[in-house]
Amino acid sequence: MKIASENSELASGGENVIITRIKYIFSDVFGINEEQLTPEADISKDLNMDSLEHAEMVAEFEREFKLRIPDEDVQNIVTVGDAVAYLQRRQGS
């Protein structure tokens, strides 16, 4: 999986609907500065989200994208790029 190349739009400022919605969740719901939202940003380490906030993030993704994210998939969402790639895949983008 090529997270950085698949999500170069996130780093370069170009946006599609999924990236815009993800940015909204991180910035407006969790108060994270959009400049921190690079594909390589580790959700726990770089964005300082604890396990409760990580669970809340998943719930926000499920609500926003109207889907269920299985626990085994949640474990693989480590970076912002992982979240973008996963949600793009699930939305068929």
Side-chain angles (χ1 to χ4, degrees), residues 7 9-13 19 22-28 30-49 53 78-84:
N7 299 302
E9 294 175 21
L10 184 65
S12 69
I19 291 173
I22 291 170
K23 281 184 176 182
Y24 167 79
I25 290 169
F26 280 113
S27 63
D28 290 0
F30 295 101
I32 296 169
N33 186 324
E34 283 192 29
E35 293 174 5
Q36 294 178 273
L37 301 177
T38 64
E40 302 81 20
D42 185 291
I43 293 167
S44 297
K45 295 176 186 169
D46 299 326
L47 304 182
N48 298 314
M49 293 179 69
E53 290 170 319
V78 176
T79 66
V80 173
D82 293 340
V84 171

Side-chain angles (χ1 to χ4, degrees), residues 36-78:
Q36 294 178 273
L37 301 177
T38 64
E40 302 81 20
D42 185 291
I43 293 167
S44 297
K45 295 176 186 169
D46 299 326
L47 304 182
N48 298 314
M49 293 179 69
D50 62 26
S51 58
L52 178 59
E53 290 170 319
H54 199 273
E56 291 172 6
M57 174 199 71
V58 170
E60 289 291 335
F61 288 160
E62 290 177 332
R63 240 185 319 278
E64 181 69 23
F65 293 97
K66 296 175 180 38
L67 52 82
R68 172 84 176 100
I69 302 174
D71 290 340
E72 56 270 12
D73 290 351
V74 170
Q75 296 172 16
N76 296 319
I77 300 175
V78 176

